Amino acid sequence: QVQLVESGGGLVQPGESAKLSCQLSGMNGNMYVVGWFRQVEGKEREEIACISSGDDRPRYTDPRKGRFTVSKDTPTNTVYLSLNNLKLEDTAEYNCALKYTTTSDCTMWRWNEYNYWGQGTLVTVSS
């Protein structure tokens, strides 16, 4: 059974950075994509970025989020989301999710098409 465990959230000050981890386990060897999402309280969940196991190339679904970087460490099955120059409005719950797919273009999938989700990690940006 696929499991995703996020970590790395917490309280940070504006302008600081945070690095979120998404530890994957239980995959069956087929190609998959991992997406990062966030949800601000009272608002709809939004996609941030994704990365495919097929080419390990990150793809960013929102160009305004140039401060965020996705990376993947294949030996440890960990996907990272680096958040730089954090702003108050970046306060949200951040989730990673996984979907098996036959294409590396992970930008075609909306958040509600992912099958496996982690528990989420809260990032609070406050001075």
Side-chain angles (χ1 to χ4, degrees):
Q1 180 70 14
V2 174
Q3 288 189 321
L4 297 88
V5 178
E6 297 110 331
S7 60
L11 177 64
V12 296
Q13 292 191 345
E16 291 185 339
S17 298
K19 189 171 186 178
L20 310 182
S21 301
C22 177
Q23 177 69 56
L24 314 174
S25 62
M27 291 79 72
N28 62 11
N30 292 330
M31 188 191 309
Y32 60 84
V33 296
V34 174
W36 278 101
F37 309 85
R38 72 179 188 182
Q39 187 166 24
V40 177
E41 188 174 348
K43 296 189 176 181
E44 187 176 334
R45 179 175 280 119
E46 54 183 346
E47 293 96 356
I48 299 172
C50 55
I51 191 164
S52 167
S53 67
D55 59 12
D56 284 350
R57 184 164 72 91
R59 292 166 171 86
Y60 299 92
T61 51
D62 189 335
R64 294 176 299 175
K65 296 184 176 68
R67 298 177 288 115
F68 300 166
T69 303
V70 173
S71 59
K72 183 173 177 289
D73 184 60
T74 300
T76 62
N77 282 329
T78 306
V79 178
Y80 298 98
L81 178 66
S82 297
L83 312 174
N84 301 307
N85 190 21
L86 283 161
K87 304 178 185 301
L88 298 177
E89 56 265 35
D90 293 321
T91 294
E93 180 173 87
Y94 288 75
N95 290 90
C96 60
L98 182 147
K99 176 181 175 59
Y100 287 115
T101 180
T102 57
T103 175
S104 293
D105 182 9
C106 51
T107 59
M108 61 189 296
W109 306 110
R110 292 295 317 282
W111 66 267
N112 55 356
E113 295 176 287
Y114 282 72
N115 307 109
Y116 304 95
W117 288 80
Q119 82 284 2
T121 185
L122 181 63
V123 175
T124 302
V125 184
S126 176
S127 56

